[in-house]
Amino acid sequence: MTYETILYASAGGVARVTLNRPDRLNSFTAQMHEELRDALAKVTTDASARVLLLTGAGRGFCAGQDLSDRAVAPGDAPVDLGASIEQNYRPLILTLRTLPMPVVCAVNGVAAGAGANIALCCDLVIAAQSASFIQAFCKIGLIPDSGGTFFLPRLVGTARAMGLSMLGDKLSAQQAVEWGLIWKCVEDAEFKPTVDALLAQLAQAPTRALVAARRALHGSAHATIEAQFDLERDLQRELGFSADYREGVSAFLAKRAPQFTGK
Ligand code: T3D
């Protein structure tokens, strides 16, 4: 498939997807959803990819749904938003949450509506200092979707989740870090080199262990401690048979840097 609304590249263990409709702040059209689905399917089967980067072109990360596709002429039937979520946003979020490699979201600018929650579903969210997060839904009569009502209370607690959802205020990247919404924010001038260094680190990491850690952390939200111990035991057992674990222990004992292969 030829891409017109995203950029895709994979090299050196890093797959990069850039949302690329900068004049519309990379808001989502049906075409962008289709292209992103295709790219994520590619990433999933790309044995050389050890980390995925999701970012945006231009001054924004993503402004959610393209609202010009939601204008309804008088007398016309409104768009079925439930169908849009079912066909597009839900599979997108669930795919990003279960990719067989860590997912870094580099929030280069404003992340609004579904754009904010797509960022929040990623494993590591790093933002430029000038970026911001807006649960813009209430401004157009909607609720936070794309997992927003799931992620927000878990990340920042109900009080802050409620404020963000009901007021739709802009949260600065710095505030997002202080609230525990995202992992890190860095000065704009340091953003690209910091993201590149992070990607290089993750491309050399024991991929299976990172994916298993994600699975265990996600599973913990509703688990009892006994169930969580069961899961940790099972995942650790699997990892104990992995080439990367063997390499990690050998490297430690030989006092050398490990050469992980992601296997
Ligand atoms: O519909 C379904 O399928 C259900 C799922 C819905 C999920 C959702 O995401 S609903 C929420 C949709 N998003 C929004 O409500 C956010 C709308 N955008 C904004 O509020 C503002 O643009 C921002 C706060 C994000 C940024 O503001 P600012 O002042 O930095 O930029 P701007 O001037 O508003 O935007 C720049 C251009 O991008 C502008 O076009 P222009 O005037 O230069 O021709 C603006 O219209 C366009 N743009 C920004 N966001 C969208 C958009 N065009 C279409 N759809 C957008 N979401």
Side-chain angles (χ1 to χ4, degrees):
M1 177 184 271
T2 309
Y3 300 141
E4 292 175 346
T5 64
I6 65 169
L7 304 172
Y8 175 77
S10 181
V14 182
R16 294 169 190 261
V17 172
T18 306
L19 306 177
N20 191 29
R21 300 180 68 236
D23 54 329
R24 301 283 97 183
L25 297 182
N26 304 317
S27 54
F28 270 87
T29 57
Q31 181 183 2
M32 189 190 263
H33 275 294
E34 196 183 342
E35 292 181 5
L36 187 51
R37 258 194 305 277
D38 187 83
L40 293 180
K42 241 184 227 163
V43 173
T44 306
T45 55
D46 179 351
S48 69
R50 306 267 297 275
V51 56
L52 170 69
L53 168 71
L54 181 63
T55 192
R59 74 175 177 89
F61 169 66
C62 174
Q65 172 63 39
D66 186 322
L67 294 176
S68 47
D69 285 356
R70 294 293 178 262
V72 180
D76 283 1
V79 175
D80 178 350
L81 302 189
S84 162
I85 285 169
E86 202 58 31
Q87 284 156 24
N88 294 318
Y89 291 99
R90 177 184 175 136
L92 169 59
I93 299 292
L94 296 180
T95 300
L96 286 169
R97 297 257 296 177
T98 52
L99 278 189
M101 68 204 64
V103 180
V104 172
C105 186
V107 183
N108 52 299
V110 64
N117 297 331
I118 289 165
L120 297 184
C121 90
C122 297
D123 297 321
L124 291 171
V125 187
I126 178 168
Q129 194 86 35
S130 59
S132 56
F133 297 81
I134 311 176
Q135 296 293 326
F137 306 89
C138 61
K139 310 251 179 188
I140 55 167
L142 297 180
I143 62 160
D145 63 19
S146 303
T149 61
F150 183 88
F151 304 129
L152 288 171
R154 283 168 174 76
L155 290 167
V156 299
T158 307
R160 284 172 168 165
M162 206 65 89
L164 291 171
S165 304
M166 289 198 167
L167 303 175
D169 288 344
K170 180 188 280 195
L171 193 70
S172 69
Q174 185 61 47
Q175 188 84 72
V177 173
E178 284 163 19
W179 283 15
L181 189 71
I182 65 169
W183 176 59
K184 197 176 194 177
C185 91
V186 290
E187 293 292 339
D188 288 10
E190 292 304 310
F191 183 58
K192 192 179 174 315
T194 306
V195 170
D196 285 343
L198 176 64
L199 295 171
Q201 180 182 340
L202 291 170
Q204 305 286 318
T207 315
R208 284 178 59 184
L210 306 196
V211 171
R214 171 216 283 152
R215 191 176 147 198
L217 289 169
H218 286 177
S220 74
H222 299 290
T224 60
I225 190 162
E226 287 81 7
Q228 199 64 19
F229 268 118
D230 289 348
L231 181 60
E232 288 181 2
R233 176 203 60 214
D234 294 345
L235 293 172
Q236 210 71 303
R237 177 174 286 138
E238 269 177 45
L239 293 168
F241 296 122
S242 71
D244 278 347
Y245 171 64
R246 184 177 298 193
E247 166 63 7
V249 174
S250 303
F252 175 80
L253 295 175
K255 299 190 186 302
R256 63 172 173 79
Q259 302 283 314
F260 293 122
T261 58
K263 305 262 187 308

